[in-house]
Amino acid sequence: MVLLYERVCGHVLEQLRRGALRPGDRVPSEMELAAQFGVSRITSKRALEVLREAGLVERIRGKGTFVVRRLPDLTDLSVPLRPGTRRDARSIALIVPDMSEAYGLDLLNAIEERCAEYGAHLVVRRTHGRQSDEEKAVDSLVSTADGLIVFPVHGDFYNASLLRQVLDGYPVVLVDRHLSGIPVAAVLTDNVAAARALTTRLLDQGHEHIAFVSPPPVNTSSIEDRLEGFRTAFSERGHPYELTDLRSTLPGSTTTDSVRADMDVLRAFRDSRPEVTAYFACEYNLARMVDRALGGDRVVACFDSPGDSIGGPPFLHVRQNQTEMGRRAVDLLLAQLRDEPVQNLSYVPFELVDPERT
């Protein structure tokens, strides 16, 4: 597999070998190389940086890039260029809020295994759910990685650094979530269909009054889509309720005080809506909180439920295919690096799991 910037490096190296470029000559600029090869300026910039690290060119601020006065022996040089301690050219960075057995660990394992199959080096950076840390991670990794796989943090605003890289054509694949209206590849569950299927199962079980429980959904596509799927299941029957302002299960927000506050909110909601017999929590840790707050006397359903494997109760749930999600994310990223077209939204299959029937 030849990466995009390696094509540019190979062209310049061949020009040097043929004498078309000689010591002291000016090398085409980032913009000129990007236009010539039909790549982004991020790609052409990386190519020039690799050539510089290989000792073939020098970059002079305000003037441009030039062939060095004393070229090294070109006989044994080949692409990819790997001078000294330079990192593996096929380097992929994974940026995630956090990982746990409840959700994310299988995704990480699948990404790591797929990278190993392709001989790609994987760098993992955790953001702990903080958008500021996510922005710093993006800014620091784009200069050292060939592409990014990003599990976006929950937030009211999109990450400006990530948006900039997407719009500049830097190879990016999102997992679990997508950015509405932004043309970026994303691998995820069809959360609308999955949430509708789970809600329909509760309705079929005889629950007419069902509450959807989540953190604020704004600009977090997975929650927005699950809420939409929940709502659409009530087209002809049942009564929906929504409680979408809980925050204690968000990465970096779990404290004794925040948990206690959310538990109080849940109990107050139960007392004011005694007719609600089932609760649909948007994820497993929140489902456990709902179950504890309500004393186990309501039916709880959710997305992803490892249950006994982590010492918690199993719930009726949507099981997401994290393994397929991780593998496909790597495949799509490497396809971008080969300059192949990829679709924006790639859905992986899901299934409903009822622990009482297994």
Side-chain angles (χ1 to χ4, degrees), residues 263-285:
M263 297 274 278
D264 289 344
V265 169
L266 284 164
R267 293 187 182 105
F269 182 88
R270 175 200 58 192
D271 294 343
S272 65
R273 296 285 188 271
E275 67 275 19
V276 175
T277 58
Y279 286 74
F280 178 164
C282 73
E283 51 89 17
Y284 178 71
N285 287 328

Side-chain angles (χ1 to χ4, degrees), residues 91-136:
S91 179
I92 292 174
L94 171 64
I95 301 176
V96 296
D98 215 333
M99 289 289 166
S100 71
E101 290 185 347
Y103 185 74
L105 189 57
D106 288 343
L107 176 67
L108 172 61
N109 289 338
I111 291 173
E112 191 279 329
E113 290 173 1
R114 198 62 153 186
C115 285
E117 290 177 20
Y118 285 110
H121 178 58
L122 180 66
V123 176
V124 180
R125 185 73 58 83
R126 291 190 302 164
T127 63
H128 305 285
R130 294 187 287 265
Q131 192 171 75
S132 60
D133 286 357
E134 184 180 83
E135 291 182 351
K136 291 176 183 177

Side-chain angles (χ1 to χ4, degrees), residues 203 206-211 234 238-241 273 275-279:
L203 289 166
H207 299 284
E208 295 184 1
H209 300 267
I210 306 171
F234 291 90
H239 304 278
Y241 303 78
R273 296 285 188 271
E275 67 275 19
V276 175
T277 58
Y279 286 74

